[in-house]
Amino acid sequence: MRQVKIGTTGPQVGVLGYGCWRFLGHSLSHAETLIETALDLGMSLIDTADVYGYGGPGFGAAEALLGKVIAANPDRRRRMMLATKGGIIPPEPYNSSRDYLVSACEASLDRLGVEQIDLYQIHRPDLLTPWDEVARALEDLIEAGKIRQVGVSNFSPAQTRALQANLAPRIVSTQPEFSAMHIAPMDDGTLDWCQEMNAAAIVWSPLAGGRLADAHVPGEGDPHTLLAVHVELDRLAHQHGVTRSDIALAFVLKHPARPVALLGTQTPERLKAAIRALEVNLSRRDWYAILEASRGTPMP
Ligand SMILES: NC(=O)c1ccc[n+]([C@@H]2O[C@H](COP(=O)([O-])OP(=O)(O)OC[C@H]3O[C@@H](n4cnc5c(N)ncnc54)[C@H](OP(=O)(O)O)[C@@H]3O)[C@@H](O)[C@H]2O)c1
């Protein structure tokens, strides 16, 4: 699989990664199949968060299941770039104070059953913690060997720069929502910041949580826009002999920030099928046609 480097020193990861938001309630055997399938396909970035499971089996449940998958075959740890996130604690809802982040990270290490997290991301900006305190927490965690690199998620570029101004190590990634239904990161400076800083854009919900594959999947987003985007995706799917989802992923992957798209399917067959998107090379006109359908207006 095509690779991108996370940070200036790497590691390299596949441009498709696997996300564990929905990785819940499975038997160990199904959970192992999903992670093995992702790794075998080259989806080496495995992304989770401590809060995944909250509202269902419980806070920490997705990390704990991933920990069991790693424990069942420790070689899997070596094959993945392990990314998690902390800083959301419902119902507060956010806490990036030094003491909380350090304890949250230690709890993540415990659930995952690993010595070190490769990429620790602040899940959402905490508006009540000063940036220098967030920076101290991250520096202390690196110093203690508990995390290797740091990233942010759902941060504005201004928030990322403010944290970076207080932080000695480079912020190597940001994690925005980005898809043909959610194009804001191209306009709000997020994907420009990635290119400015040579940082990775690790993008979430690249299929808009499934709605870009199937309009009946419930979720947010204007139904008229979704219909217009589907029309363009279907036209191109027919032209390229692939599926609508393949075109939706190809749209994300064509952006020059060279995103890593985190897939969230719980079906190994859909993971395998997603590889087809890597073969699709959208023309400039076709890429803009999807963007125009999403914007609802032609480019100026
Ligand atoms: N940083 C953040 O705040 C944040 C927020 C959300 C997510 N994330 C990350 O991003 C990852 C991916 O997010 P996501 O799960 O929303 O990604 P996604 O790949 O856009 O959506 C996955 C969903 O789409 C469904 N789907 C896929 N193909 C389909 C098809 N052909 N027909 C119908 N449904 C289909 C899947 O159902 P099946 O399982 O049935 O295939 C699954 O429910 C998460 O796991 C997490 O790591 C981060």
Side-chain angles (χ1 to χ4, degrees):
M1 182 178 306
R2 213 163 63 234
Q3 305 281 301
V4 291
K5 202 188 267 184
I6 306 287
T8 43
T9 56
Q12 305 260 15
V13 297
V15 293
L16 296 177
Y18 188 60
C20 297
W21 182 27
R22 305 171 197 268
F23 184 71
L24 297 163
H26 299 308
S27 65
L28 179 57
S29 143
H30 185 66
E32 288 187 274
T33 303
L34 278 167
I35 298 297
E36 275 292 330
T37 304
L39 293 175
D40 287 349
L41 291 166
M43 300 176 186
S44 46
L45 177 58
I46 307 289
D47 178 78
T48 186
D50 56 6
V51 71
Y52 294 167
Y54 178 81
F59 189 98
E63 283 186 336
L65 184 57
L66 183 58
K68 284 185 189 155
V69 169
I70 293 171
N73 180 350
D75 190 47
R76 291 173 182 148
R77 173 70 188 92
R78 190 188 52 73
R79 297 171 67 203
M80 68 175 69
M81 179 177 187
L82 177 58
T84 193
K85 315 180 203 78
I88 298 185
I89 173 163
E92 284 192 16
Y94 310 137
N95 191 340
S96 286
S97 65
R98 186 202 168 278
D99 288 352
Y100 176 73
L101 274 188
V102 168
S103 68
C105 179
E106 285 167 352
S108 289
L109 285 166
D110 209 34
R111 283 187 290 264
L112 291 162
V114 299
E115 301 271 308
Q116 189 181 52
I117 290 157
D118 297 321
L119 178 66
Y120 194 68
Q121 304 154 100
I122 307 292
H123 205 153
R124 284 191 179 269
D126 172 20
L127 306 179
L128 290 176
T129 304
W131 293 117
D132 60 345
E133 183 176 339
V134 184
R136 289 302 81 72
L138 295 169
E139 286 172 354
D140 290 352
L141 287 167
I142 289 182
E143 179 72 22
K146 293 177 178 168
I147 65 175
R148 187 159 167 241
Q149 305 202 88
V150 299
V152 294
S153 175
N154 304 301
F155 273 42
S156 71
Q159 289 165 331
T160 310
R161 287 194 180 97
L163 175 58
Q164 184 67 84
N166 287 276
L167 182 69
R170 285 277 284 273
I171 297 170
V172 300
S173 64
T174 188
Q175 189 174 135
E177 180 176 9
F178 178 46
S179 72
M181 278 301 285
H182 195 95
I183 55 178
M186 292 193 283
D187 294 328
D188 67 12
T190 302
L191 296 180
D192 300 308
W193 175 84
C194 291
Q195 295 178 81
E196 178 189 337
M197 300 306 291
N198 201 11
I202 300 171
V203 309
W204 61 268
S205 296
L207 295 178
R211 273 166 296 134
L212 283 170
D214 179 350
H216 297 102
V217 172
E220 294 164 10
D222 174 46
H224 299 292
T225 305
L226 185 60
L227 183 62
V229 171
H230 275 192
V231 168
E232 276 314 311
L233 298 180
D234 287 348
R235 178 180 71 79
L236 294 167
H238 182 69
Q239 193 178 307
H240 288 264
V242 295
T243 65
R244 189 190 274 168
S245 321
D246 297 332
I247 302 293
L249 289 176
F251 172 81
V252 165
L253 296 177
K254 193 174 172 70
H255 192 277
R258 303 175 70 223
V260 176
L262 292 175
L263 302 181
T265 181
Q266 301 305 303
T267 315
E269 290 66 37
R270 283 186 177 157
L271 269 183
K272 290 179 194 155
I275 294 295
R276 273 193 316 251
L278 302 173
E279 305 304 320
V280 177
N281 188 10
L282 295 174
S283 72
R284 185 174 284 270
R285 178 63 213 128
D286 288 338
W287 188 88
Y288 273 106
I290 297 170
L291 180 60
E292 287 174 338
S294 184
R295 284 164 44 93
T297 54
M299 301 308 288

